[in-house]
Amino acid sequence: MAETVLTPELLPAGADGFVLRFALTPEPRAMAAARSLADRLEAAPPPGTVEIAPALVSVLLRFDPARTDRETLAAHLRTVAQEIAATEPRMPEPSRRWTIPVSFGNENGPQLSDVATKLGMGEDAAIREICASELRVLTIGFAPGQPYIGLLPDAWHLPRLSELTPTVPPGAVVVAVRQIVLFGSASATGWRQIGRAAFRTFMPERREPMPLRGGDAIRFAPASAAEIDALSGEGDRMGGARLEVLR
């Protein structure tokens, strides 16, 4: 199959913003390009930058019109995006890695069996594949601190459910379209719940309320239901997660 040609589009976002978009769908090369663009802009923000907000395949940049010229900024963004698109975009090397304990299957992952059947493997093999995957926080969105994590192997390109699950609990680990979402609070979802963590993605009482950042590496570590229950009861909403600073 021929690779998708990336054709970045620069779109206006009100009087003080641009959206730089690499694709209309979450295609892996477009996601890598968006993450690369966000990293470059965050490392060297153009003059007048007020906010940089990456999504799966696009980046929003807001600016102060009193401090920069719109056309000059647009030309700079086009140049950087075209440079990235002309190469083979890859996820930048992570500067941080999280290891997050998760209880998979049974009451904490009621749809793991269904997922494993669709993948043509046993539940234990599915868990091993998740935990062996080199995953990244692709973007933060939908709810405060909520990560979209990926990408799982190609076989995990599972469609969303045809009907919403009315609610999954805080810490639910759900999968679809080669991605994982880790819910910080109870939520309805059209994704399949395969596990649960004691880690919370939004902690407003902390100095940094959203512990995860776009680009962070993620590893999931199998834990028992009893271990997750104990971590949940300790009151520390980090839930046993361990952070390594890589560079």
Side-chain angles (χ1 to χ4, degrees), residues 73-164:
L73 179 58
H76 174 70
L77 293 175
R78 286 192 188 96
T79 297
V80 175
Q82 288 166 357
E83 288 174 0
I84 292 170
T87 65
E88 178 55 41
R90 298 185 183 280
M91 285 287 178
E93 288 297 312
S95 60
R96 312 192 315 166
R97 178 185 293 119
W98 292 87
T99 301
I100 301 175
V102 173
S103 170
F104 292 99
N106 301 315
E107 69 276 13
N108 285 326
Q111 291 159 311
L112 175 63
S113 176
D114 178 49
V115 168
T117 298
K118 291 181 182 302
L119 295 173
M121 62 176 68
E123 292 183 28
D124 288 346
I127 294 168
R128 286 195 298 271
E129 193 157 84
I130 292 169
C131 295
S133 295
E134 292 293 329
L135 302 170
R136 304 289 288 280
V137 175
L138 302 171
T139 192
I140 303 288
F142 182 75
Q146 179 174 299
Y148 287 78
I149 299 168
L151 288 168
L152 290 165
D154 288 344
W156 290 78
H157 194 75
L158 302 170
R160 296 168 181 83
L161 296 167
S162 58
E163 296 183 3
L164 284 177

Side-chain angles (χ1 to χ4, degrees), residues 213-237:
R213 302 174 189 167
D216 281 355
I218 300 290
R219 287 179 179 168
F220 292 111
S224 69
E227 288 172 321
I228 295 302
D229 287 342
L231 289 167
S232 298
E234 288 177 358
D236 178 4
R237 297 201 293 168

Side-chain angles (χ1 to χ4, degrees), residues 159-178:
R160 296 168 181 83
L161 296 167
S162 58
E163 296 183 3
L164 284 177
T165 300
T167 185
V168 293
V173 176
V174 301
V175 295
V177 292
R178 296 184 64 192

